[in-house]
Amino acid sequence: MLTIKNKNEVIFIQLNSILYIQADGNYCNIYLVDGGVINTLTYQRAEIARMMDEQLSKECRKQFVLLGRSYLINTSYVLRIQPSKQLLTFSVNSFGTCNKTNIKATSKALNILMEEIDKLSSETKET
């Protein structure tokens, strides 16, 4: 669980409910697998990543990978990476349905993401 506090509230978020986090200036929007969005966070993406590093075990933290400067994505839901189309597709299966969500990113960022996911996959196979 990730706990995010600000002056007005405390938010408790289950890790498996986070699809991705998107930076928007001095704010972050947290996109959830159920389609919801938490968009009242007055934290930059780097601050959210720092909170995750502090609060989560190394194993849990590994499933979240940076994508460029704007995104922190949950690799558990990545379905397709298409650098040539500058497109990342997530797939969320729930209650017998399959919902897909796309985000745009640079080809370079998507290629780096593919390398990170390959590295994580290799580490998982070794253990």
Side-chain angles (χ1 to χ4, degrees):
M1 180 177 297
L2 180 64
T3 304
I4 301 172
K5 300 176 187 177
N6 64 26
K7 288 189 275 186
N8 302 318
E9 62 187 340
V10 178
I11 302 169
F12 302 96
I13 307 169
Q14 294 293 330
L15 297 181
N16 61 354
S17 70
I18 299 172
L19 190 59
Y20 64 93
I21 300 169
Q22 180 183 23
D24 186 16
N26 288 329
Y27 296 87
C28 273
N29 298 319
I30 299 179
Y31 290 82
L32 305 174
V33 297
D34 67 3
V37 180
I38 300 172
N39 57 9
T40 60
L41 303 175
T42 56
Y43 292 104
Q44 295 177 342
R45 191 226 5 103
E47 291 173 287
I48 299 290
R50 181 187 48 76
M51 285 181 211
M52 291 177 114
D53 287 341
E54 291 172 357
Q55 295 179 30
L56 306 178
S57 70
K58 201 172 197 176
E59 261 328 286
C60 289
R61 179 62 176 91
K62 281 183 181 180
Q63 77 187 62
F64 292 90
V65 176
L66 291 173
L67 176 63
R69 286 187 262 171
S70 297
Y71 296 101
L72 185 60
I73 64 149
N74 186 340
T75 59
S76 301
Y77 297 107
V78 172
L79 173 67
R80 181 181 295 153
I81 303 171
Q82 296 173 286
S84 63
K85 293 184 179 181
Q86 297 184 326
L87 196 64
L88 173 65
T89 303
F90 296 96
S91 177
V92 179
N93 296 313
S94 59
F95 307 113
T97 63
C98 180
N99 298 315
K100 293 181 182 169
T101 301
N102 297 313
I103 58 173
K104 292 276 195 180
T106 66
S107 297
K108 180 180 179 180
L110 290 169
N111 281 319
I112 291 169
L113 176 63
M114 284 194 308
E115 291 172 11
E116 287 294 318
I117 290 175
D118 282 343
K119 188 168 86 174
L120 286 172
S121 178
S122 296
E123 289 174 6
T124 303
K125 288 177 185 174
E126 290 174 8
T127 57

